[in-house]
Amino acid sequence: MSVRPRRSVLYVPGSNARALEKARELPADAVILDLEDAVAPDAKAQARALIVKALQDGGFGRREVLVRINGLDTGWWIDDLVVAAAGPDALLVPKVSTPDHVRRVAKHLVGVRAEARIRVWAMMETPLAMLNARDIAAAALDLATRLAGFVMGTNDLAKETRAQIVPGRAPMLPWLMNCVAAARAHGLDILDGVYNDLGNAEGFAAECRQARDLGFDGKTLIHPQQIAPCNEAFSPTPEEVAWARKIIAAFDLPENADKGVFRIDGRMVERLHADMARRTVAIADAIAATAQPA
Ligand code: COA
Ligand code: MG
């Protein structure tokens, strides 16, 4: 089983040369080079050029590199597609609200002859997207859409719905879980939204733990200081890995070959737990590999 860790995914403003440079050294699993909200309207063209150059120069090592283009309701997004020729791993499309949005991007990517390996991720951040999450995720059934994942846009959701962002996020939990279910139903990865209060380390750590419990693969981040605590929250603990190995080993024993369920250390384990355990070990191994020099 091979899995790619996407614990920490840092937004990097595309107009900020210093931040683009820094992104190559930070311990994030992935970076999102941004052309949308982090870039002022007058700086869009300059940011496009900086991102193309950053992609051409490379140096991102094992980090996955996404580029967030502008929304389909703007006059910028078609021009933004020039970045595809510079070979990012994926494009992140803001404010996807219907499966048709995903299909439109896919069609234009064929037009600019984007390499087949380039994936598409959708930002889930409009009220309509919350209602259409299932259909948007189902767009991935058509491989031509390249759809590989969802990124929650919780700030836009708060703006558009008038729901408040509060500790524990009770107002948003139905939407978050709806998107997790839609993503999993179609084999997509899903990343949580950002945490704005850079001065509140405790609140941030709690939200990372919550995101992990909700089933997210990782969290999007706005500042380098958020990377280490986020990586920690989304990494299986040594205890979890040890328990996973114990379950796998128990099912591998000849005397358990035809058993579907038994007890280990007082707990019931079934074959589905062995499947989960294999995933935990695969993630832990992949994380250990990222700790090696790229
Ligand atoms: N990516 C890469 N590097 C970053 C960074 C980011 N998102 N945010 C900060 N840095 C770097 C700075 O360049 C600085 O580097 P240096 O000291 O080595 O020169 C260092 O980290 C410290 O930055 P700091 O002074 O604490 O940040 P700031 O107060 O100037 O900026 C923000 C704070 C929030 C404006 C900035 O972190 C940022 O732009 N974040 C991304 C916002 C974004 O992309 N939003 C859209 C998606 S929600
Ligand atoms: Mg947004």
Side-chain angles (χ1 to χ4, degrees):
M1 183 187 291
S2 114
V3 275
R4 178 161 202 160
R6 295 194 172 95
R7 297 165 296 172
S8 51
V9 180
L10 178 69
Y11 283 104
V12 183
S15 50
N16 182 339
R18 169 77 193 139
L20 287 168
E21 192 58 46
K22 233 180 132 80
R24 298 173 162 96
E25 298 151 21
L26 297 167
D29 288 334
V31 292
I32 301 172
L33 312 183
D34 192 20
L35 285 168
E36 197 215 18
D37 285 353
V39 177
D42 290 349
K44 299 286 186 195
Q46 176 225 357
R48 255 177 230 135
L50 279 177
I51 288 178
V52 166
K53 176 145 190 344
L55 290 167
Q56 285 168 348
D57 290 350
F60 290 93
R62 58 167 181 80
R63 292 165 201 79
E64 192 169 15
V65 183
L66 289 75
V67 177
R68 182 165 74 169
I69 61 173
N70 285 282
L72 275 54
D73 56 344
T74 71
W76 294 304
W77 77 276
I78 299 270
D79 290 341
D80 290 344
L81 295 182
V82 299
V83 302
D89 294 304
L91 296 182
L92 174 59
V93 184
K95 301 191 173 72
V96 169
S97 295
T98 69
D100 192 52
H101 289 160
V102 179
R103 289 193 280 264
R104 267 175 77 192
V105 173
K107 206 172 118 208
H108 281 271
L109 282 175
V110 173
V112 299
R113 295 204 173 81
E115 280 175 80
R117 66 169 186 86
I118 299 175
R119 302 289 86 197
V120 167
W121 286 62
M123 295 239 27
M124 300 295 281
E125 54 184 347
T126 66
L128 199 52
M130 297 306 104
L131 300 172
N132 287 340
R134 173 185 178 158
D135 293 340
I136 296 169
L141 291 170
D142 176 2
L143 298 183
T145 63
R146 306 162 183 253
L147 186 62
F150 282 169
V151 178
M152 299 309 302
T154 39
N155 281 326
D156 270 292
L157 265 178
K159 176 184 171 220
E160 298 298 328
T161 61
R162 299 179 204 148
Q164 301 284 320
I165 296 177
V166 297
R169 297 194 285 182
M172 291 207 179
L173 286 178
W175 300 325
L176 296 174
M177 292 317 294
N178 186 41
C179 288
V180 169
R184 298 303 177 215
H186 292 286
L188 305 180
D189 264 15
I190 180 165
L191 307 173
D192 193 14
V194 302
Y195 188 80
N196 300 327
D197 188 356
L198 291 171
N200 184 355
E202 214 172 286
F204 175 69
E207 196 166 284
C208 288
R209 283 193 300 273
Q210 180 199 37
R212 190 206 146 153
D213 289 348
L214 297 180
F216 287 96
D217 296 292
K219 191 165 173 64
T220 47
L221 309 175
I222 49 175
H223 192 280
Q225 77 184 32
Q226 295 181 320
I227 298 171
C230 186
N231 281 343
E232 195 190 325
F234 283 96
S235 301
T237 64
E239 294 74 30
E240 285 165 337
V241 177
W243 174 243
R245 290 194 194 282
K246 206 166 178 173
I247 295 175
I248 296 166
F251 273 102
D252 284 347
L253 288 175
E255 60 262 40
N256 290 332
D258 26 326
K259 284 194 194 144
V261 58
F262 46 84
R263 195 197 271 246
I264 307 178
D265 297 351
R267 283 204 243 175
M268 178 193 76
V269 290
E270 297 176 285
R271 288 198 176 263
L272 70 92
H273 295 112
D275 294 341
M276 292 165 73
R278 278 185 210 100
R279 186 161 201 285
T280 300
V281 169
I283 288 258
D285 287 349
I287 290 168
T290 67
Q292 310 298 319

